[in-house]
């Protein structure tokens, strides 16, 4: 509604404001989807040793041979990932997550501008979601270098893109003047709104179902969150 109100305040008719809001919303969703595709290409562009059906069969054969007292086969030796490859895997993951986290920082900043409560909730949700992402960066680096400091540093640097995303949002807002150009405000909120929807669909919900595969609390929590937000909006309008 803030996007729609901003377009109306910028002088557009209600009909044009509605169309502009819809376009910005889906543009944000498409932008995040394209960025996610780029991240996956960057992260999985090179095959990882030991993955897939062939890797799984080799691991099973190696385990069976070891249990029978036989010497390790050649496929089993190939499963040993060199430290160089582990380090490269960690660097690629860190770079991919840096691109991935950038719009999350932008979304958090804009959400806080709209409503501090929404911004705080989104920040907590994204923070919890980023814990396993940090492990994905730190663990390969640690096993490659045997250095906790390096593993921590790589994971920390990969998260710097989120405050950079927030700084970009701040720069866009400030560049429009102290009074906030309503057109810029509407476009920014619309695009980020679409990005936030995709963050929930592609990141937060899959992570929740990963830790709650039997759906004991996830669906109820989603419904409860929606009810809380709807109630707060009703109270705001009243």
């Amino acid at each position: 509604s803030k996007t729609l109100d901003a377009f109306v305040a910028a002088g557009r008719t209600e009909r044009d404001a509605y169309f502009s809001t819809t376009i910005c919303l889906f543009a944000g969703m498409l932008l995040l989807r394209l960025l996610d595709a780029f991240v996956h290409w960057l992260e999985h562009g090179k095959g990882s040793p030991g993955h897939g059906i062939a890797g799984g069969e080799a691991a099973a054969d190696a385990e069976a041979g070891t249990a029978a007292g036989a010497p390790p086969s050649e496929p089993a030796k190939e499963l040993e990932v060199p430290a160089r490859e582990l380090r490269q895997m960690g660097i690629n993951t860190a770079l991919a997550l840096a691109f991935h986290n950038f719009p999350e920082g932008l979304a958090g900043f804009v959400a806080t501008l709209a409503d501090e409560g929404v911004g705080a909730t989104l920040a907590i949700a994204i923070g919890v979601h980023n814990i396993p992402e940090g492990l994905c960066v730190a663990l390969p680096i640690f096993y490659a270098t045997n250095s906790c400091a390096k593993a921590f540093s790589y994971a920390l640097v990969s998260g710097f893109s989120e405050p950079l995303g927030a700084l970009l949002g701040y720069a866009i807002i400030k560049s429009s003047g102290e009074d906030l150009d309503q057109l810029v405000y509407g476009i920014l909120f619309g695009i980020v709104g679409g990005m936030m929807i995709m963050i929930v669909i592609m990141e937060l919900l899959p992570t929740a179902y990963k830790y709650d595969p039997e759906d004991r609390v996830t669906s109820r929590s989603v419904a409860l969150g929606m009810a809380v937000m709807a109630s707060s909006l009703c109270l705001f309008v009243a």
Side-chain angles (χ1 to χ4, degrees):
S1 63
K2 288 185 179 293
T3 304
L4 185 63
D5 294 341
F7 280 124
V8 171
R12 303 204 171 195
T13 65
E14 189 171 346
R15 180 176 178 274
D16 289 343
Y18 181 82
F19 280 118
S20 299
T21 300
T22 303
I23 291 171
C24 289
L25 183 73
F26 281 96
M29 296 173 70
L30 178 62
L31 179 62
L32 193 69
R33 190 66 187 91
L34 292 175
L35 183 59
D36 184 71
F38 172 71
V39 167
H40 279 284
W41 173 82
L42 189 65
E43 191 172 7
H44 303 294
K46 296 181 180 180
S48 300
H51 287 271
I53 297 176
E57 290 177 351
D61 292 342
E63 187 176 343
T66 304
S73 61
E74 286 300 318
K77 292 180 181 179
E78 292 178 0
L79 290 175
E80 297 179 3
V81 183
R84 180 179 58 82
E85 292 187 12
L86 279 174
R87 183 173 180 273
Q88 188 61 43
M89 185 191 306
I91 293 174
N92 288 345
T93 305
L95 185 60
L97 288 176
F99 282 104
H100 167 78
N101 290 338
F102 187 83
E104 292 182 349
L106 178 60
F109 173 77
V110 177
T112 305
L113 279 181
D115 188 311
E116 292 183 2
V118 173
T121 303
L122 183 63
I124 293 172
I126 291 176
V128 172
H129 167 74
N130 284 349
I131 293 174
E133 291 183 350
L135 290 174
C136 290
V137 175
L139 288 178
I141 298 296
F142 173 75
Y143 283 112
T145 64
N146 200 28
S147 170
C148 291
K150 287 184 178 180
F152 176 79
S153 299
Y154 276 89
L156 183 64
V157 169
S158 71
F160 278 164
S161 61
E162 287 198 13
L164 287 178
L167 285 174
L168 174 64
Y170 176 78
I172 293 173
I173 293 296
K174 293 299 289 184
S175 66
S176 64
E178 294 296 330
D179 296 331
L180 292 182
D181 184 278
Q182 292 298 318
L183 184 61
V184 174
Y185 193 83
I187 292 173
L188 185 61
F189 265 72
I191 291 176
V192 172
M195 294 168 68
M196 289 170 65
I197 291 173
M198 293 303 289
I199 289 171
V200 171
I201 294 174
M202 297 170 56
E203 303 295 339
L204 300 183
L205 284 178
T207 302
Y209 281 116
K210 179 180 178 181
Y211 290 100
D212 182 26
E214 297 181 2
D215 193 19
R216 295 178 178 175
V217 297
T218 300
S219 295
R220 296 189 184 96
S221 298
V222 170
L224 178 61
M226 293 172 69
V228 170
M229 290 305 301
S231 300
S232 65
L233 288 174
C234 290
L235 291 174
F236 179 76
V237 172

